[in-house]
Amino acid sequence: MEFLSELWRFMRTRKTFWMLPILLMMVIFGGLIVLTKGSAVAPFIYTLF
């Protein structure tokens, strides 16, 4: 949790809010990769792409 607060402070002071959507998409795609790794949800997620 400390990492997230430090990242938010960095983005707020440096005015780099453009990084937020990039990081958010990386987290979402990482979660999808973890979910599809040998699960029953995999065929449904593959149809999205």
Side-chain angles (χ1 to χ4, degrees):
M1 203 62 171
E2 182 182 341
F3 172 73
L4 292 176
S5 65
E6 187 174 334
L7 180 65
W8 177 250
R9 257 186 281 132
F10 171 78
M11 287 175 30
R12 196 175 51 192
T13 56
R14 302 278 176 140
K15 306 286 191 252
T16 56
F17 294 113
W18 56 268
M19 285 180 17
L20 190 61
I22 296 170
L23 294 174
L24 196 65
M25 291 306 292
M26 287 174 60
V27 167
I28 289 172
F29 282 130
L32 282 175
I33 289 172
V34 168
L35 277 177
T36 59
K37 191 74 174 176
S39 72
V41 184
F44 302 109
I45 293 177
Y46 287 134
T47 59
L48 294 176
F49 302 104

